[in-house]
Amino acid sequence: MAIKKPEKWEAWEFENSKMRKSLPEDLIPAKVGDAEEEAFFGFLLTLAMIFNDFKGLIVLNDTFKDVYKFEPSEINEHSGEYAGIQVQLLKLLYATVYEALVFIRESKKIYDSRRVQGLLQQTSANNQLVWEMLNKIANGEPTNDSRFDQFNDLREFLVKARNNVGFHYQTRKELIAGYRKFFVDGIANVAEDARRWAYRSTSATNFNSSRYYYADAALQGYYVNLFGDEKLAQQRTDETFSLVNLIVFAVSDLLLRRHASLPNR
């Protein structure tokens, strides 16, 4: 692979909490139940997957920053790969937020059900408020409620996410506009030299040493256009991972209440 590895390397280990266990049928019965039961089990299982997706992306982002050095002023293959993967991780996080909001919108009936609401009532007041806000945003309902003022940054981001951020494969016009934003107009925190050329590293025989840096630049320009200007885009980038923690803890709180009701094994 096109990675400069150190001469000595000690592999890291994950340090998760102690493993707990349940019989598979404690979580989801072996036999298919009625539609409402199946929807309830599916809702909670999908929330667990959403939690894992966010957790994995945050771990990858933090590990990536710990392992690779980055000098913003340098224009070379390493800095291009670093900046590209960084915006790629951000894209995956935004896309996961988008998909989570789609899931919440499509799960409104089961969310409003007695079983889910019973679990929600056992969670903290703060997490109940996060859940209420997420559902309003996911369903396009007004959030001009003073109770949500403490989440103003998150609320603004989620509305943008609900409406605009996915995987970008179907947003060709917006990507072209982002490309022009980066290379023609310029971005405040990007050096002039970085947009003088549309860079790439290509090899006909080595996938690992190739990258089209100009596509990463287009995505960076897209986010600047999306959030309004360079300052807001950078602010949103800096805050995204911490803002997502609110969602993660709200999801986790609900799942913990579910697990607390299961038999001890």
Side-chain angles (χ1 to χ4, degrees), residues 16 20 31 38 40 48 71 85 105 112 179 187 190-191 201 207 210 226 240 242 260 265:
N16 283 1
R20 299 176 182 275
K31 292 184 178 180
E38 292 295 296
F40 174 73
E71 294 293 337
I85 292 177
R105 184 184 72 232
D112 290 335
Y179 182 94
I187 295 176
V190 174
S201 289
F207 160 81
S210 301
L226 173 63
T240 295
S242 59
R265 301 294 183 184

Side-chain angles (χ1 to χ4, degrees), residues 25-48 103 110 115-116 255 258 262:
E25 56 266 31
D26 288 342
L27 288 169
I28 300 177
K31 292 184 178 180
V32 176
D34 60 38
E36 184 176 340
E37 261 195 341
E38 292 295 296
F40 174 73
F41 297 138
F43 180 75
L44 295 179
L45 185 59
T46 304
L47 287 183
F103 169 72
I110 189 61
R115 296 184 74 170
V116 172
L255 292 173
R258 164 63 172 162
L262 299 177

